[in-house]
Amino acid sequence: MKEVRRYLEDRLGTYSFYFEDLKSGFIYGYNEHVKMTSAGCMKLPVAMAVMKDVEEGKLSLNDLVLLISRDRVEGSGILKHLNSREYTVGELILVMLVESDNTATQKLVNLIGFDELKSKFEEMGLQNTAMNDMPGSPINHTTSYDLSLCWKILKKGEYLSQEHSRYIIELLKGENKKKKTAFYLDEPLKNKIASKAGDMPGIENDTTLIELQKGDFIFTIMSQDLPNSVYGLVSLAKSGKMIWDGITYNWK
């Protein structure tokens, strides 16, 4: 993992990196507690917070939520292009995670409220994760450690039920836009990877859980101040290949 750090230190921009082998407990971090812009990666802890409200009976996955024109949020997603209609909470979670839909995310956040979201993040132990409650502001912050912790919590079923934990993992394992840290990996291997990516101008992030026979591995790479998106994608893709090579050759 030191090779990954040396590589990122030589790249333009600012980087954060965290790796953990859940079986052995081996960890490696680089700027892992430094707050950085989360971009779409924020949707992972948001989904966990909403699902916790479901488990506590504050919401139901079958509750209907009306989306109208003023609910539309620019950026990623498909709901901004569709006519007004009702969606279930479960459908909004699915679209938020699989399509990284900003409109679904904002509607779910408004549904549970920023105070509730903050409380849920604290319950999860996400000490450096915060969603901006200023209307129209897309800047949210987290760390590579906090995002990795989300996977650890889901894998161990420590916060949500095993059923709901597994549901989120499987949704993000089936999501097929694995073009950042998993870019250079073989297609069959990508089926063993659950990931949530995020990007904004000058920012490329990816957080990942790899489930293998030899063990379960978590890693997150965040970046900012990049010269352009292609440069950031190359940085993450090469780092992901180095991490995978490390798992392949250094872990039994």
Side-chain angles (χ1 to χ4, degrees):
M1 297 305 151
K2 291 180 180 178
E3 292 182 1
V4 179
R5 175 174 179 167
R6 285 195 292 268
Y7 172 71
L8 293 175
E9 286 177 329
D10 288 338
R11 300 290 285 173
L12 296 176
T14 303
Y15 297 86
S16 166
F17 167 57
Y18 183 82
F19 173 91
E20 183 168 354
D21 170 11
L22 294 184
K23 184 177 180 181
S24 71
F26 173 84
I27 63 173
Y28 190 89
Y30 166 57
N31 291 336
E32 69 271 28
H33 295 294
V34 175
K35 291 182 183 180
M36 300 178 72
T37 302
S38 63
C41 291
M42 180 62 77
K43 291 165 177 127
L44 175 58
V46 167
M48 295 168 66
V50 174
M51 196 66 83
K52 189 64 175 180
D53 263 19
V54 170
E55 292 188 354
E56 293 174 346
K58 298 174 183 176
L59 291 174
S60 166
L61 291 175
N62 296 318
D63 284 347
L64 291 173
V65 181
L66 177 63
L67 260 66
I68 58 178
S69 59
R70 68 167 176 263
D71 294 318
R72 294 171 184 162
V73 177
E74 290 305 309
S76 60
I78 60 172
L79 294 186
K80 64 185 179 184
H81 300 297
L82 302 180
N83 293 330
S84 300
R85 55 159 281 197
E86 289 184 321
Y87 296 86
T88 67
V89 168
E91 287 172 332
L92 292 179
I93 292 173
L94 186 151
V95 176
M96 175 177 68
L97 291 177
V98 176
E99 295 294 333
S100 202
D101 194 286
N102 287 347
T103 298
T105 306
Q106 193 61 52
K107 195 66 177 180
L108 288 169
V109 170
N110 291 341
L111 195 63
I112 68 173
F114 281 96
D115 289 341
E116 178 74 0
L117 193 65
K118 181 180 178 182
S119 175
K120 289 293 187 282
F121 288 170
E122 290 174 353
E123 289 176 5
M124 285 185 257
L126 308 180
Q127 297 182 7
N128 291 299
T129 298
M131 199 160 188
N132 196 323
D133 60 359
M134 297 296 291
S137 175
I139 307 302
N140 307 306
H141 294 95
T142 189
T143 65
S144 57
Y145 175 84
D146 279 8
L147 289 173
S148 298
L149 180 59
C150 288
W151 292 118
K152 188 173 183 177
I153 292 169
L154 288 171
K155 183 64 185 178
K156 294 189 174 185
E158 293 179 337
Y159 183 66
L160 298 174
S161 68
Q162 288 285 354
E163 177 187 358
H164 288 147
S165 296
R166 198 69 224 169
Y167 176 73
I168 291 174
I169 290 173
E170 290 300 325
L171 274 184
L172 291 173
K173 187 181 281 189
E175 198 277 321
N176 62 5
K177 302 181 184 70
K178 299 182 178 118
K179 299 177 180 177
K180 296 194 179 185
T181 54
F183 181 80
Y184 289 118
L185 305 189
D186 294 337
E187 288 300 320
L189 177 60
K190 292 180 181 180
N191 294 328
K192 302 179 183 297
I193 295 173
S195 65
K196 185 69 194 79
D199 55 78
M200 292 174 62
I203 293 164
E204 294 290 342
N205 301 330
D206 202 10
T207 185
T208 298
L209 165 68
I210 301 181
E211 297 180 310
L212 302 170
Q213 218 169 12
K214 66 171 66 178
D216 302 307
F217 303 88
I218 293 166
F219 64 88
T220 300
I221 302 177
M222 303 183 71
S223 65
Q224 61 188 31
D225 306 319
L226 301 171
N228 55 66
S229 61
V230 173
Y231 187 93
L233 288 171
V234 169
S235 298
L236 267 63
K238 288 189 175 180
S239 296
K241 181 62 166 62
M242 293 166 72
I243 292 168
W244 173 246
D245 287 346
I247 292 172
T248 301
Y249 300 114
N250 298 326
W251 268 264
K252 301 295 185 182

